[in-house]
């Protein structure tokens, strides 16, 4: 096992070196990014930043939890300057592990909404993603669905399908409900939801979307951008045709999750890391990250031609900090009510 871990971290280091056109011993200004995102289009955003500032961007991309563990292991020896992570719980876990430092930036404070950033200015949101309801009109009456609460309707017995409990996005959804309603009411909602679920639970959003498109399931809960990718043909014509059979419903108000960035506490290139973070949080940078990945930028609605068809949305007032705060309680009651 230890040998496998060493090989894993070595592979990450190689990825770090191969995603750059500059030599390791370069004296040019640079910023090194550890990113939990996995989109090739992010390279285009980094390239624009390089062109505008002359600051070279070097980066690795891998699972967010692996990044947190790597930073803990590396400590002061880490090459990380800027850390980019996805999902409220993962972001908060990194913050609780004291991996970020406080950032003094008027631009970030003025650009990033209060509910999408750390109250101590240790991390800032960059893009937004919505947890939405999808349904097959041939299987269920979609006029009965407007919000997550409606999924407890007894008429949906055996027609609801869910991704498994390990999904950080589902954990954040339940955390969102706790923040809005408290533990007691959330538990009642969960019991009603789970009573309508047909099993087995799904391992990913994409497979769940296919099941709803095929009519195997009548209703599902997924992140909006998975549907958008399928509709745009990213996953092939068959998936595109299945996605076209689905009705996407954005609850009002909407549950919002994010991508966020923070400066590593031992960052060697702190000034450059803050400049990159400011750029990514700017209208240009945030839209650059979001539009080609079918997400929403920080403030504006997505300009992506597929996502824009989903319509506008009103975010709820739950903060990302609260989503992280209630994560452990969410997991506890999900397990208690039988969300496998």
């Amino acid at each position: 096992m230890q040998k496998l871990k060493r090989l894993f971290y070595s592979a990450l280091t190689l990825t770090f070196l191969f995603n750059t056109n500059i030599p390791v011993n370069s004296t040019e200004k640079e910023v090194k990014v550890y990113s939990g995102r996995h989109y090739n289009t992010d390279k285009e955003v980094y390239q624009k930043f390089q062109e505008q500032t002359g600051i070279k961007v070097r980066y690795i991309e891998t699972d967010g939890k692996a990044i947190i563990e790597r930073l803990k292991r590396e400590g002061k020896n880490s090459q990380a300057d800027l850390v980019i992570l996805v999902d409220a719980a993962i972001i908060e876990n990194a913050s609780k592990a004291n991996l970020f430092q406080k950032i003094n930036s008027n631009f970030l404070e003025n650009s990033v909404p209060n509910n999408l950033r750390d109250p101590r200015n240790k991390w800032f949101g960059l893009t937004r993603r919505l947890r939405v309801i999808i349904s097959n009109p041939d299987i269920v009456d979609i006029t009965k669905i407007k919000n997550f609460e409606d999924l407890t309707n007894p008429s949906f017995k055996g027609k609801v399908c869910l991704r498994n409990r390990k999904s950080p996005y589902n954990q954040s959804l339940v955390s969102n409900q706790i923040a809005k309603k408290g533990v007691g009411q959330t538990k009642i909602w969960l019991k009603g939801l789970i009573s309508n679920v047909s099993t087995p639970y799904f391992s990913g959003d994409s497979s769940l979307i296919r099941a709803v498109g095929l009519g195997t399931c009548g209703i599902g809960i997924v992140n909006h951008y998975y549907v958008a990718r399928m509709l745009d043909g990213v996953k092939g014509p068959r998936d595109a045709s299945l996605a076209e059979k689905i009705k996407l419903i954005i609850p009002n108000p909407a549950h919002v999750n994010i991508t966020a960035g923070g400066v590593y506490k031992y960052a060697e290139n702190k000034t450059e890391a803050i400049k990159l973070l400011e750029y990514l949080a700017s209208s240009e940078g945030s839209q650059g990250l979001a539009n080609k990945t079918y997400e929403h930028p920080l403030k504006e609605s997505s300009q992506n031609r597929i996502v824009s068809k989903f319509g506008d949305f009103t975010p709820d007032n739950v903060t990302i900090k609260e989503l992280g705060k209630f994560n452990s309680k969410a997991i506890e009651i999900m397990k208690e009510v039988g969300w496998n």
Side-chain angles (χ1 to χ4, degrees):
M1 180 62 72
Q2 290 300 319
K3 183 178 180 181
L4 287 174
K5 287 183 177 180
R6 287 195 296 271
L7 288 172
F8 172 73
Y9 287 119
S10 295
L12 287 184
T13 302
L14 287 173
T15 304
F16 183 92
L17 296 177
F18 289 150
N19 277 297
T20 176
N21 293 320
I22 63 172
V24 177
N25 62 356
S26 172
T27 58
E28 294 181 273
K29 288 186 177 180
E30 63 182 20
V31 57
K32 302 165 187 174
V33 181
Y34 282 19
S35 176
R37 289 167 63 88
H38 48 83
Y39 308 114
N40 289 331
T41 53
D42 285 3
K43 292 187 292 186
E44 300 172 19
V45 183
Y46 297 148
Q47 184 62 39
K48 285 186 178 180
F49 172 77
Q50 290 181 179
E51 292 170 356
Q52 293 182 20
T53 65
I55 300 171
K56 304 294 183 181
V57 180
R58 297 167 55 202
Y59 64 97
I60 62 167
E61 294 178 339
T62 190
D63 176 74
K65 292 180 181 179
I67 287 176
I68 292 175
E69 291 307 311
R70 179 175 181 174
L71 291 173
K72 289 178 181 179
R73 180 181 65 87
E74 292 178 340
K76 294 181 179 179
N77 296 321
S78 178
Q79 298 186 75
D81 295 313
L82 182 64
V83 181
I84 298 176
L85 298 170
V86 175
D87 182 71
I90 293 175
I91 295 161
E92 268 301 289
N93 285 341
S95 186
K96 289 176 183 177
N98 195 30
L99 297 179
F100 301 138
Q101 59 178 284
K102 183 177 180 180
I103 301 170
N104 294 314
S105 168
N106 290 331
F107 179 85
L108 288 170
E109 291 181 31
N110 293 328
S111 298
V112 182
N114 289 338
N115 64 318
L116 303 181
R117 60 183 172 92
D118 178 54
R120 300 168 298 169
N121 290 354
K122 289 195 172 185
W123 53 260
F124 292 83
L126 302 174
T127 67
R128 297 178 295 171
R129 40 191 56 199
L130 308 181
R131 201 73 176 153
V132 300
I133 301 166
I134 56 171
S135 61
N136 188 320
D138 294 333
I139 306 298
V140 298
D141 181 357
I142 63 173
T143 65
K144 295 181 179 180
I145 307 171
K146 289 183 172 60
N147 290 292
F148 293 114
E149 292 80 359
D150 297 331
L151 302 189
T152 64
N153 190 317
S155 67
F156 298 143
K157 184 77 172 180
K159 298 177 181 178
V160 176
C161 292
L162 297 173
R163 188 169 171 178
N164 62 41
R165 186 177 70 236
K166 293 181 179 180
S167 165
Y169 304 124
N170 282 339
Q171 293 172 11
S172 287
L173 171 61
V174 177
S175 296
N176 176 271
Q177 295 294 304
I178 294 173
K180 292 197 298 184
K181 302 177 180 180
V183 172
Q185 287 299 312
T186 299
K187 192 179 296 185
I188 292 172
W189 167 69
L190 280 177
K191 287 180 179 178
L193 174 67
I194 299 304
S195 70
N196 284 339
V197 169
S198 59
T199 56
Y201 288 79
F202 289 76
S203 60
D205 282 14
S206 295
S207 57
L208 179 49
I209 294 168
R210 293 186 189 105
V212 174
L214 287 167
T216 305
C217 304
I219 301 169
I221 299 175
V222 299
N223 279 359
H224 79 275
Y225 53 86
Y226 285 103
V227 180
R229 289 178 195 168
M230 285 191 176
L231 286 170
D232 208 14
V234 172
K235 292 184 174 290
R238 180 178 180 272
D239 276 356
S241 64
L242 288 175
E244 288 172 359
K245 298 179 180 179
I246 288 169
K247 171 67 175 177
L248 185 146
I249 301 163
I250 302 176
N252 185 20
H255 163 48
V256 176
N257 212 324
I258 63 169
T259 290
V263 176
Y264 184 50
K265 65 177 178 179
Y266 297 122
E268 181 180 353
N269 303 296
K270 177 180 177 180
T271 300
E272 290 75 16
I274 293 175
K275 286 183 178 179
L276 177 54
L277 187 59
E278 289 175 337
Y279 176 73
L280 296 178
S282 71
S283 179
E284 178 182 349
S286 182
Q287 288 190 36
L289 288 176
N291 288 336
K292 290 188 178 182
T293 57
Y294 307 92
E295 298 171 277
H296 287 281
L298 271 179
K299 296 179 180 178
E300 309 91 344
S301 294
S302 175
Q303 295 179 359
N304 180 281
R305 65 181 182 85
I306 300 294
V307 180
S308 61
K309 294 178 182 179
F310 295 160
D312 294 330
F313 65 95
T314 302
D316 62 28
N317 58 4
V318 177
T319 68
I320 300 302
K321 186 79 174 178
E322 288 177 300
L323 296 183
K325 173 184 176 182
F326 293 118
N327 180 257
S328 59
K329 177 57 69 173
I331 296 172
E332 177 185 321
I333 63 175
M334 289 169 81
K335 184 176 181 180
E336 181 182 334
V337 301
W339 191 328
N340 296 327

